Amino acid sequence: MTAQTQSNQLAPQVVVIGSGVGGGTVALKLARAGLRVLMLERGEALPNEPELNDAEAVFVQNRYRTQEQWQDDTGRRYRPGQYYFLGGHTKFYGTAMFRFRESDFAETRHEDAASPAWPVSYAELEPHYAEAEALFGVRGQAGVDPTEPPRQAGYDHAPVPHAPVIKRMAERLEAAGLHPFHMPAAVDFGPGGSCRLCGTCDAFGCRFGAKGDAETRIIRQLQTMPNVEIRTGVEVRRLIPDAQGQRIIAVEVHGNGRLERIEAPHFVLSAGAVNSALILLRSATEACPGGLANRSGVVGRYLMNHHLTGLMGVLPFETNDTAFPKTLSLNDFYHGLPGDAMARGNIQMLGNIKGPMIRATYPMTPKPLANWLGRHSVDWLVMSEDPPLVENGVRLLPDGTPEVTWHPADLKAHDRFVSHARKLLRQIGFPLVLRHSFGIDAPSHQCGTVRMGDDPATSALNSMCRAHDHPNLSVVDAGCFPSSAAVNPALTVAAQGLRVGAYLSRTLAAQAAA
């Protein structure tokens, strides 16, 4: 078991499980309020090594992907695209930091299903969105995106400028009557910044501390605080409730070859949507036979992951040498195509697709062809909301293997949106547009498995992410989402984490003073 920063002189007041965006933001608020915080992270710090920028190492060798096995409901086992490091999945994310739209918090009809309303409104989250943008160093431009929700102020930092190829695409989209805007990105770019435009950002680790990830922007602050202890290399197995199944009294962790029990007055679970649900299910007792926080039976259900399709716009006679392409996004179709309201979503840039990334997915592709496509393409991501279905979820098999079931609704509507996007790309200058669909094997936008709501009969958590069944347990990651919206989830997790952290700080400080 590895301990980082100073050990607390006294027992922790709060144990935070997970060091990603959710756990990090909550812990930062609690620590700033003077509470004693113990953070537990199953991974170690990501090593700063040349392989972080090597597509062959990252995608072909899967050097940083977990070794654990998951299973789908057909019995197929696979290594999921999970990354367990200090800072969570943000160590490999693409820096996208979108606010959800106002409409995303309301009940939304889809072609095959519906997304429920959230128990928290955009207006309640807005100040926390602003705080999260400042905390993560988000760069963007307000007032251009036609679907942008109300803001009290603009971004603190100007957007990352378009490279020449991307600028030309933006101009052509504008000429087509659309409203492309600078994608909000958490990257330390510009004069005095640490970004070196190395060309490997999205889905790679950053060797220069330029990516606005949870470790760089939060954990490093926590490591300087005497009231915070961070332990890495420890995996939380289960939470232990009292005999009545009401209060959580301890957490059981495995590290360095042994089990340890850690007690505290309050617990914050932020292990990611899949793993948070698994921990709650694994914590079943006689008093809580369905697992913790699961009187409603929703824990592990309603898994969402977005409909994600990559489009490779090929430029046969031009090499794309853009180092940081994730500067452009389009939301003109967020609320539907003309005449087709159900086909909708967000379009944004992908990081540069490189030859080894193509060969990792399509092994039969000749290496020269894969490398040529990587050099001659501009890569886009088409994203639609994945509505929640009760049958989609995660559970534990008898041998302890996680089984993930995901048969998403609204695929036909998403396909119509993708077809429209392909036509649009041909219109702005790409003679060939290839497509690839991303599935649950790479659950980078996983959410919904421990949903919040006002009714304890249909939700696990209240609007402050406190378990309806356990007054001293909070679950703060994308698992709390009632719906997935159609933009990246990281900023909304951070905003909710800051909101919950502020609330817990007030509540726990008052309890300690009483």
Side-chain angles (χ1 to χ4, degrees), residues 6-89:
Q6 299 94 329
S7 296
N8 294 322
Q9 297 300 312
L10 299 172
Q13 293 169 285
V14 185
V15 171
V16 176
I17 301 162
S19 65
V21 172
T25 48
V26 174
L28 187 62
K29 281 290 190 181
L30 294 171
R32 285 176 173 174
L35 291 158
R36 299 186 303 277
V37 177
L38 170 62
M39 175 176 281
L40 304 174
E41 167 56 50
R42 69 184 288 178
E44 302 285 359
L46 181 65
N48 190 340
E49 57 188 14
E51 288 83 356
L52 286 177
N53 302 131
D54 183 350
E56 196 80 26
V58 174
F59 292 96
V60 178
Q61 299 170 13
N62 287 321
R63 181 179 179 89
Y64 302 102
R65 182 179 288 200
T66 179
Q67 294 291 330
E68 71 179 339
Q69 294 280 311
W70 290 4
Q71 178 174 304
D72 65 21
D73 57 351
T74 71
R76 178 182 67 94
R77 298 208 171 191
Y78 60 95
R79 283 174 64 191
Q82 292 279 112
Y83 299 94
Y84 299 129
F85 294 99
L86 194 63
H89 269 212

Side-chain angles (χ1 to χ4, degrees), residues 451-472:
R451 55 166 34 183
M452 58 181 174
D454 293 323
D455 185 356
T458 58
S459 61
L461 313 171
N462 68 12
S463 65
M464 283 295 180
C465 291
R466 181 182 66 79
H468 293 303
D469 301 345
H470 314 290
N472 67 331

Side-chain angles (χ1 to χ4, degrees), residues 129-176:
Y129 270 129
E131 184 181 3
E133 287 167 345
L135 177 62
F136 283 90
V138 179
R139 284 154 170 75
Q141 181 180 8
V144 182
D145 174 5
T147 70
E148 183 178 39
R151 303 176 59 97
Q152 295 298 311
Y155 290 93
D156 290 348
H157 307 284
V160 180
H162 296 314
V165 172
I166 309 303
K167 185 172 186 265
R168 190 169 79 239
M169 297 303 125
E171 291 169 348
R172 291 178 180 179
L173 289 169
E174 288 177 349

Side-chain angles (χ1 to χ4, degrees), residues 356-410:
M357 301 162 78
I358 298 171
R359 290 188 291 109
T361 304
Y362 300 101
M364 300 303 293
T365 307
K367 187 174 182 178
L369 175 59
N371 291 339
W372 184 90
L373 286 170
R375 292 193 305 270
H376 288 267
S377 66
V378 180
D379 307 300
W380 307 72
L381 182 66
V382 183
M383 184 185 311
S384 299
E385 181 169 348
D386 177 18
L389 298 178
V390 66
E391 59 267 29
N392 287 335
V394 58
R395 70 186 183 104
L396 286 164
L397 296 175
D399 67 355
T401 301
E403 181 186 75
V404 177
T405 299
W406 190 61
H407 300 288
D410 268 33

